[in-house]
Amino acid sequence: MTHTLRLTRLTRSLQVILFLLFSGWLILFIISPVKMFPDSYGYFADAKNLFDPAYQTVRPVLFPFFLRVLDGTPLKMSIVAYLLNCASLLALVKMAAGKQPLFSLRNTIVLICFFLLTGLWSYCGTYLTESILFSVTLWIFILLVRIVFPAGRQHPLLIILYSLLICLLATILKPWIMIMVLLSGVFLFLASFIFRGFRLQRLPSFILLTVSVVLFFAGLHYNRGKSAEKANMV
């Protein structure tokens, strides 16, 4: 009984720390202006001319679209990006927790560690693609887990849909992420032959690999034309 009470108190204390970290970052983004960088002006130009057929851009469409949507609202970009990243992180932790409470002792410690990553959250306060990169990569990972380790039996068409969403998110944010998606498909497919625990995932892994290979080569010319930076070229 005493041990359980101590664990409960520890959990409550850590939850308070987690809330203070979350609130601290939120207050920071409320009072601080969003930082501009040399690339930021290009993203604003892309957002302004997003639906102009005559306008040509070398940037993928997701972040300019994000700015375009927020431009018609009174919402501050850094706050929206921060809350979006927080919601995505909670979705990942909830998926991993299963039936365990979301803010259990273990999950609270994990979340505290994430909120201590200042380099990660500071990007939310910038007019750069990196402000939503964390959220997008988290959802790519969540969809990968749903493909390979589903909660129950799922139809192949659903696996194809998840695979298409993964490739779409990767391509329209930063094309180089498609390399990660492609390599993940290769690794998971090979693992289904090597590791016994992955054998039941052979079909989902094959579908993921097939979709990622097709879209990788189908969008290769587009991706290379959408970035003048070598880091973004696939």
Side-chain angles (χ1 to χ4, degrees), residues 18-152:
L18 175 61
F19 176 76
L20 291 175
L21 287 171
F22 168 80
S23 302
W25 280 109
L26 183 59
I27 292 172
L28 178 65
F29 293 128
I30 290 174
I31 64 177
S32 300
V34 187
K35 296 180 181 179
M36 294 287 291
F37 288 85
D39 286 349
S40 303
Y41 300 97
Y43 286 121
F44 274 108
D46 291 346
K48 181 180 179 180
N49 301 283
L50 189 61
F51 301 109
D52 184 358
Y55 180 76
Q56 298 294 323
T57 178
V58 296
R59 295 176 181 85
V61 70
L62 183 56
F63 188 65
F65 179 75
F66 181 66
L67 291 178
R68 181 66 179 261
V69 171
L70 291 181
D71 185 55
T73 69
L75 300 174
K76 190 177 179 182
M77 195 282 298
S78 57
I79 298 175
V80 176
Y82 174 65
L83 294 178
L84 181 63
N85 287 327
C86 290
S88 302
L89 177 59
L90 288 177
L92 175 66
V93 174
K94 179 62 178 176
M95 182 187 69
K99 296 181 179 180
Q100 187 181 15
L102 178 58
F103 296 105
S104 64
L105 177 60
R106 184 183 65 180
N107 291 345
T108 302
I109 293 174
V110 170
L111 289 170
I112 286 175
C113 291
F114 268 101
F115 278 97
L116 289 174
L117 298 175
T118 56
L120 176 70
W121 298 104
S122 62
Y123 274 115
C124 296
T126 64
Y127 284 114
L128 294 173
T129 307
E130 285 77 8
S131 61
I132 58 173
L133 178 61
F134 182 57
S135 177
V136 171
T137 52
L138 282 179
W139 280 105
I140 288 175
F141 180 76
I142 290 172
L143 292 171
L144 280 173
V145 173
R146 291 189 180 277
I147 289 174
V148 183
F149 301 108

